[in-house]
Amino acid sequence: MTVTIYDVAREANVSMATVSRVVNGNPNVKPSTRKKVLATIERLGYRPNAVARGLASKKTTTVGAIIPDISNIFFSELARGIEDIATMYKYNIILSNSDSKKENELQLINTMLEKQVDGILFMGGNITDEHIQQFKTSSVPVVLAATYDSSNEIPSVNIDYELAGYEATKDLIENNNNQQPAIVISVPDAPVNKLKYEGYLRALEESNIEFSEELVITVDYSYDGGITAAEKLLELEALPSSVFVTFDEVAIGVIHGFQDRGYNVPEDIQVFGFDNTKLAKMVRPTLSTVVQPMYDIGAVAMRLLTKYMNKEEVTDKNVVLPHRLEKRNSTTSN
Amino acid sequence: MTVTIYDVAREANVSMATVSRVVNGNPNVKPSTRKKVLATIERLGYRPNAVARGLASKKTTTVGAIIPDISNIFFSELARGIEDIATMYKYNIILSNSDSKKENELQLINTMLEKQVDGILFMGGNITDEHIQQFKTSSVPVVLAATYDSSNEIPSVNIDYELAGYEATKDLIENNNNQQPAIVISVPDAPVNKLKYEGYLRALEESNIEFSEELVITVDYSYDGGITAAEKLLELEALPSSVFVTFDEVAIGVIHGFQDRGYNVPEDIQVFGFDNTKLAKMVRPTLSTVVQPMYDIGAVAMRLLTKYMNKEEVTDKNVVLPHRLEKRNSTTSN
DNA sequence: GTGAAAGCGCTAACAA
DNA sequence: TTGTTAGCGCTTTCAC
């Protein structure tokens, strides 16, 4: 049926070891026999069986990627970064969605390990001790992408969320006469979001702004969550002059929530987002936001993982990529 | 090092065959020995090696998904549909991006086959004879998702693109005093887009509208492409009263292109999109569009693939899912 | 530069 | 109900 290395060996009058050498680019093969082998491979349409190879070599050139939700624009960009670098290094990706549920995550890690992946790229919300435990006892390296582990035990690639939150808030404060910006938080339990909030608080503190709790709004991580947030903000006695929204998609909902009720952004209220997904340029007014380089995070995380898989030396185990503020029209009246 | 089925067998005083039976849920095991085996599996932390299993059983419970670009919101929704059904049937997905390049596509198919996937889900633009050839000689089933193969030889899941294009155009014609809507096309060589265009032409014909070629605009498949399209439209002697844009993302660019130049949608020009990605509700005015059920296409395609993989009988090899028009504010002055 | 042979960890007859 | 024994298709010593 399927043609094996053994068939090729027989047809080419060499041993299977030689065929294996040719297939794997081992230099210890006489050019003439290499040519002969290559010819019969071509003739028979031989295609190496990666599963058999994996069993014999204990390497599958496959890595597992556990991601909350690939249909989320943030993660799909991240995934693209991962994929591109993986391809560059000849790895394939087994991609699975966890919906950020611990149970799914732990289960998926196990499945990936069963499939003998050479490494795991993990994206998630909350890293629990159980996660850490599983990562540390894993037989293959694990790298976290856009996922914060406060213990810093697991290699990771992130931006400085606290600083980013601080800077965005600071910008809003400075442009609004030292008034407290509101903040719209989603998935408040996820450490990265806590960090954004901490940055927000630090900025308030530094500007000696008296903190009003009612300006902290928690809503779903969704466009509709943003609409809801706008409604909540409009129910307050006084509309704050600005709002920091911790996800672009939610921020766009906030903008439209205001606009649909006759308010103008940025005139009535300025809106600052977070992530710089491509959505940020696809609204009117365009969204000022914190640039988080999703693609790069994915790419760098994958690169880092290859280093671990190849047992290369790693100097920087917890990579912090630069971020910046991109000011657009949702904060700038012009 | 790693604990194998053999270790478990020894520790539990049974043969590896029995352990295998327990692991695979084979009922021919006495409950007491099953319990004993399970206990030692637990105790030793045994984790079955899927690669060895794959080699022995010739099944990997892994399917390959070849997708143009996972960071595209359309495909990422599709991918989610695929993934969810795959999980339901205990399959894992190897996901790869092709950027719709034939060379990559062919290469990826080959890689997937080397990895011994049990089936392939293919999404792409142009299906050439070479593709068909490779699919037909593939040792595992292949299903196309949102990808048109005019020969209908390969199993597929689609909507009726021609009809959808026809209906959208028809709607625009009827709401605009029989004037020819413009059409903005991206990736014109892809058969699905040709079909949309054919539907457009049929609608014109049916309404006895004299066809003006200058109302056919071709731009990149991107938001910026939409901006460009709006510019091109504004360069015409007379602005058409409506435009059918064959992708939502481009349509949103078109809307903003007009708005940024002081024109109003739908008052100055109506805009109709295609796909109903979640972007459609995230613009103002909200986008009227053809609802293409991406998630369902992915899910149904994966389900279809499982049928082929299990050698179940398939009654409907080329599935055509229903679509509909979702009228929103980009075509309805209110 | 090439070949022989022993696994890799498991499944699946076939026996018992 | 359980065990024995071939492989699955390849890599990788170790000889020659």
Side-chain angles (χ1 to χ4, degrees), chain B residues 201-218:
Chain B
L201 291 180
R202 178 157 69 91
L204 296 190
E205 206 167 321
E206 195 181 285
S207 300
N208 295 309
I209 293 179
E210 42 178 335
F211 170 65
S212 163
E213 178 100 39
E214 65 175 9
L215 292 184
V216 178
I217 312 279
T218 302

Side-chain angles (χ1 to χ4, degrees), chain A residues 8 84 154:
Chain A
V8 176
D84 284 356
I154 313 298

Side-chain angles (χ1 to χ4, degrees), chain B residues 63-101:
Chain B
V63 318
I66 296 167
I67 207 164
D69 178 12
I70 192 63
S71 70
N72 178 305
I73 193 162
F74 176 83
F75 292 113
S76 66
E77 280 237 21
L78 234 167
R80 189 50 147 114
I82 292 172
E83 242 275 314
D84 284 356
I85 304 302
T87 301
M88 194 172 299
Y89 285 88
K90 313 277 187 212
Y91 284 95
N92 287 106
I93 301 286
I94 294 184
L95 196 301
S96 289
N97 298 101
S98 67
D99 290 317
S100 291
K101 300 220 185 83

